[in-house]
């Protein structure tokens, strides 16, 4: 009997990869603003230990999460994922799904617009007369 290894992959693995990439960008910005770049010498690396450690940690996490993502979806290309999404949408369309429908917007004729504007003007005049009488 062969034992199979089971990998536990979190649901938000794609977001972790994106988050770690942004973390690496922030660490790179810290390095660019650091002492080594300002003095243009690697002799000042001790002054930039925090950005260096942060950058190394983000590279490690980005690499690990990238490998986990690639293992989570073996053999799936982005075009396969798009096709799968289209199939899901088509099955949802073909099923009897209750969907709230918005009534189609009808265009107003020039006469209807003039009538509505006249009604609003009259109602505003009546409201103004009521306010002046009170």
């Amino acid at each position: 009997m062969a034992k199979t290894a089971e990998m536990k992959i979190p649901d938000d693995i794609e977001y972790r990869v994106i988050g770690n990439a942004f973390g690496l960008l922030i660490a790179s910005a810290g390095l660019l603003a650091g002492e080594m770049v300002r003095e243009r010498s690697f002799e000042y690396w001790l002054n930039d230990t925090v950005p260096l450690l942060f950058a190394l940690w983000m590279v490690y996490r980005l690499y690990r999460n990238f490998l986990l993502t690639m293992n989570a979806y073996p053999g799936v290309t982005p075009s396969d994922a798009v096709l799968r999404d289209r199939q899901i949408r088509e099955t949802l369309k073909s099923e009897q799904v209750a969907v709230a429908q918005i009534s189609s917007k009808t265009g107003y004729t020039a006469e209807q617009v003039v009538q509505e504007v006249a009604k609003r003007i009259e109602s505003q005049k009546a409201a103004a007369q009521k306010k002046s009488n009170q």
Side-chain angles (χ1 to χ4, degrees):
M1 221 167 160
K3 291 184 178 181
T4 58
E6 200 172 303
M7 290 179 59
K8 292 184 180 180
I9 300 170
D11 293 335
D12 61 344
I13 191 71
E14 296 90 359
Y15 297 117
R16 288 186 182 193
V17 171
I18 293 169
N20 289 330
F22 281 122
L24 184 59
L25 283 173
I26 292 169
S28 300
L31 285 174
L32 284 174
E35 193 76 23
M36 287 190 298
V37 174
R38 192 174 327 133
E39 297 294 329
R40 296 182 183 166
S41 175
F42 285 111
E43 295 175 0
Y44 297 96
W45 70 272
L46 282 175
N47 296 341
D48 290 336
T49 53
V50 172
L52 279 172
L53 291 175
F54 188 60
L56 290 174
W57 178 249
M58 285 294 116
V59 166
Y60 168 72
R61 288 190 58 180
L62 180 64
Y63 180 71
R64 184 184 62 169
N65 286 332
F66 182 75
L67 288 181
L68 281 175
T69 303
M70 291 298 112
N71 288 335
Y73 304 108
V76 176
T77 60
S79 61
D80 292 340
V82 170
L83 288 175
R84 186 174 57 236
D85 289 343
R86 284 185 189 160
Q87 290 173 349
I88 290 171
R89 277 190 237 125
E90 287 174 3
T91 56
L92 285 176
K93 285 181 184 177
S94 65
E95 292 178 359
Q96 298 286 336
V97 180
V99 178
Q101 295 184 0
I102 300 173
S103 61
S104 62
K105 190 174 182 181
T106 58
Y108 295 107
T109 63
E111 295 171 357
Q112 290 175 335
V113 172
V114 170
Q115 289 174 355
E116 289 296 321
V117 169
K119 287 180 187 176
R120 286 187 186 174
I121 291 172
E122 289 175 6
S123 65
Q124 289 175 355
K125 284 182 183 177
Q129 286 178 354
K130 285 182 184 177
K131 284 183 182 178
S132 65
N133 291 338
Q134 290 178 359

